[in-house]
């Protein structure tokens, strides 16, 4: 079992920044990749980005490249999502997810095995 806990969400003005963290515990050695997804009210879940633990390879949603950055600290079993130049449309619940098998593409949420409870990000205009 793997447990994931997100933190760092909150209310921010448009143009501001937030840094989310996802702390993994349990059988963390079995994690191949950690991903971030988000879901806004009334919308489907959306892939944000992901990072592989072995080599730190990152993948991002095309629409978010340049504003969002994922990094990881394997020693602390934590992955971060740095979000800059935030827009009201970035408002959503942000979820961290862990994938055990080394399968691509990383953007497919159905291939992730464990999910956190999510953290709310609200961007005011």
């Amino acid at each position: 079992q793997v447990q994931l806990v997100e933190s760092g969400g909150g209310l921010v003005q448009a143009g501001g920044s937030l840094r989310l963290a996802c702390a993994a515990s349990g059988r963390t050695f079995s994690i191949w990749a950690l991903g971030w997804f988000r879901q806004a009210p009334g919308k489907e879940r959306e892939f944000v980005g992901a990072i592989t633990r072995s080599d730190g390879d990152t993948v991002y949603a095309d629409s978010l490249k340049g504003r969002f950055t994922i990094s990881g600290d394997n020693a602390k079993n934590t992955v971060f999502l740095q979000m800059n130049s935030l827009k009201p449309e970035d408002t959503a619940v942000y979820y961290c997810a862990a994938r055990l098998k080394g399968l691509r593409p990383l953007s497919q949420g159905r291939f992730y095995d464990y999910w956190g409870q999510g953290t709310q990000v609200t961007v005011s205009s």
Side-chain angles (χ1 to χ4, degrees), residues 52-104:
T52 58
R53 296 192 75 213
S54 59
D55 57 7
D57 182 31
T58 53
V59 176
Y60 299 95
D62 288 341
S63 62
L64 301 176
K65 286 180 181 177
R67 293 197 299 124
F68 287 17
T69 303
I70 293 175
S71 60
D73 185 338
N74 284 344
K76 296 182 178 180
N77 293 310
T78 302
V79 64
F80 302 96
L81 176 64
Q82 178 67 42
M83 304 185 294
N84 299 326
S85 302
L86 283 163
K87 306 174 181 179
E89 51 264 42
D90 293 319
T91 295
V93 177
Y94 284 70
Y95 297 93
C96 176
R99 176 180 289 193
L100 305 185
K101 294 183 179 179
L103 298 175
R104 295 181 184 269

Side-chain angles (χ1 to χ4, degrees), residues 4 6 22 33-37 95-99 109 112-116:
L4 303 169
E6 303 96 335
C22 171
L34 287 163
W36 286 97
F37 292 79
Y95 297 93
C96 176
R99 176 180 289 193
Y112 285 78
D113 302 281
Y114 297 96
W115 293 81

